[in-house]
Amino acid sequence: MTNIISREIQLVSRPNGMPTADNFAIAQTEIKPLQDGQVLVRNRYISVDPYMRGRMNESKSYVPSFELGKVLQGGAVGEVIESRAPEFQPGDVVTSNFGWREYFIAAPKDLHPVSSEIQPLSVYLGAIGMTGMTAWVGLNLVDVKAGDVIFISGAAGAVGSVAGQLAKLRGCQVIGSAGSAEKVKFLLEECGFDRAFNYNSGPLLEQLNQAAPDGIDVYFDNVGGETLQAALSAMRVHGRIVACGSISGYNQPQPGPNNLFNMIGKRLTMKGLIVSDWLDRQSEFEREVGGYFQAGKLKNQETVVVGIDQAVGAFIGLFEGKNLGKMVVKLD
């Protein structure tokens, strides 16, 4: 196939604080004819995730910074259009890290096959994709078990909503915080959380203490900042903290908690999480959590916007609380 024109999103300047549309541009590129050993994929859904904000800075981190003038990268699920590699055939569905573009050419080793029988395909970016796996890994990281009282911040987001549901399946008491009454209702009625509160409705620590008067065993941290400080105060002795994300400081760095002495007095454990460290267990995750999804025991909540030209707005919306569950972009 020739003369395919693919639109893509490029980073043209590095954000200072909250990203704006001016930091990005839509560009067009012509897809070249396939060579032996290559696969052409048309993306159906692309993922926008908070961690991508860190890659927009020019600083050393666990993953390389995005390059100016180059297409952004992110999770995607798409369909094989043409293949000159025996591993894939036209019609196969694959996930990749070649998001933020409509079409791409890749080697088979950079593609992960998934079943087209599970619908919608966007679930491979959510509950049974990398965000769902992040939730699953986090619970395993600190050995979350039946009877634990777990508090999850950013609980109505892609990772938090799955973490809460998986914790309930393990027999935990689950508490969540979110930023609106609508999201609190979602946590209680759709995700099965035992208690949830709107962190904008009053002092955070007071609300957490009311929700967990006897303290918490586990804190699944997606927010950092003031929420981490409150959790440190509410932790029980020998409590565990999953350091998964810190979205409150991604655009404007914040000082750390001033009550870290709780780590010592309560003999706490805090572990950082990068999901890519666990890819050798991806098949195990897909069997367990995919089974929950297919059995109707796990819900995949998502916010869907349509068109690659809406990807930047969807990404910025993550920091404005506009997503319920996973934010994805459906390509035309």
Side-chain angles (χ1 to χ4, degrees):
M1 298 179 68
T2 58
N3 299 322
I4 293 178
I5 302 300
S6 176
R7 291 180 296 170
E8 61 185 32
I9 305 296
Q10 297 180 353
L11 184 70
V12 295
S13 62
R14 301 201 182 277
N16 181 15
M18 178 73 79
T20 70
D22 292 339
N23 297 126
F24 307 88
I26 297 181
Q28 293 185 338
T29 183
E30 183 173 351
I31 301 297
K32 298 178 180 179
L34 283 188
Q35 303 296 312
D36 288 342
Q38 292 184 326
V39 181
L40 173 64
V41 178
R42 179 183 179 185
N43 280 331
R44 296 300 186 184
Y45 293 89
I46 63 175
S47 177
V48 292
D49 299 284
Y51 84 90
M52 300 179 72
R53 174 61 184 86
R55 298 190 67 184
M56 295 173 187
N57 298 329
E58 192 172 23
S59 58
K60 186 176 181 180
S61 184
Y62 65 91
V63 65
S65 298
F66 291 129
E67 296 182 54
L68 295 181
K70 299 290 183 65
V71 61
L72 295 163
Q73 294 179 326
V77 58
E79 178 185 353
V80 173
I81 302 300
E82 183 182 358
S83 176
R84 294 188 64 176
E87 294 91 336
F88 293 99
Q89 301 297 321
D92 288 347
V93 178
V94 297
T95 58
S96 74
N97 199 41
F98 293 98
W100 294 70
R101 69 196 89 190
E102 294 175 314
Y103 293 85
F104 66 91
I105 292 173
K109 66 180 180 63
D110 295 322
L111 304 174
H112 179 68
V114 295
S115 172
S116 60
E117 295 180 2
I118 296 180
Q119 295 288 333
L121 292 179
S122 52
V123 73
Y124 289 112
L125 303 178
I128 54 177
M130 282 299 104
T131 51
M133 186 169 174
T134 301
W136 179 81
V137 167
L139 300 184
N140 289 333
L141 187 68
V142 299
D143 190 28
V144 172
K145 59 189 182 299
D148 280 340
V149 178
I150 181 171
F151 169 48
I152 302 170
S153 59
V159 174
S161 60
V162 175
Q165 292 179 78
L166 293 180
K168 284 297 297 180
L169 288 168
R170 293 192 181 198
C172 299
Q173 292 186 46
V174 182
I175 301 164
S177 63
S180 71
E182 175 195 12
K183 291 181 177 180
V184 168
K185 182 179 179 181
F186 161 69
L187 294 176
L188 295 172
E189 298 183 1
E190 300 294 327
C191 297
F193 280 51
D194 296 286
R195 293 174 290 282
F197 60 88
N198 178 354
Y199 59 78
N200 290 312
S201 296
L204 202 151
L205 180 56
E206 288 184 15
Q207 294 194 80
L208 178 56
N209 285 337
Q210 184 175 3
D214 297 321
I216 58 177
D217 299 295
V218 179
Y219 172 44
F220 197 117
D221 188 16
N222 293 303
V223 173
E226 180 187 359
T227 312
L228 174 57
Q229 177 152 327
L232 284 165
S233 292
M235 297 295 297
R236 293 171 173 169
V237 173
H238 299 302
R240 297 99 74 202
I241 300 172
V242 183
C244 179
S246 189
I247 194 172
S248 67
Y250 286 170
N251 293 306
Q252 184 64 48
Q254 297 183 2
N258 62 17
N259 61 344
L260 280 173
F261 59 85
N262 282 296
M263 295 291 297
I264 302 166
K266 298 181 180 182
R267 283 83 82 198
L268 305 179
T269 299
M270 184 174 186
K271 292 186 176 181
L273 162 61
I274 302 296
V275 69
S276 58
D277 293 342
W278 291 63
L279 292 181
D280 61 329
R281 295 181 63 180
Q282 186 171 4
S283 60
E284 178 186 350
F285 155 74
E286 290 176 342
R287 285 193 302 272
E288 179 183 338
V289 180
Y292 293 145
F293 177 75
Q294 289 181 287
K297 297 179 180 180
L298 178 70
K299 296 185 178 181
N300 179 62
Q301 180 67 36
E302 60 186 13
T303 300
V304 182
V305 300
V306 180
I308 196 166
D309 56 330
Q310 300 301 311
V312 171
F315 174 70
I316 294 172
L318 293 173
F319 302 98
E320 298 172 338
K322 293 184 177 180
N323 62 301
L324 188 61
K326 181 77 185 77
M327 179 78 87
V328 296
V329 180
K330 182 178 181 181
L331 300 188
D332 301 325

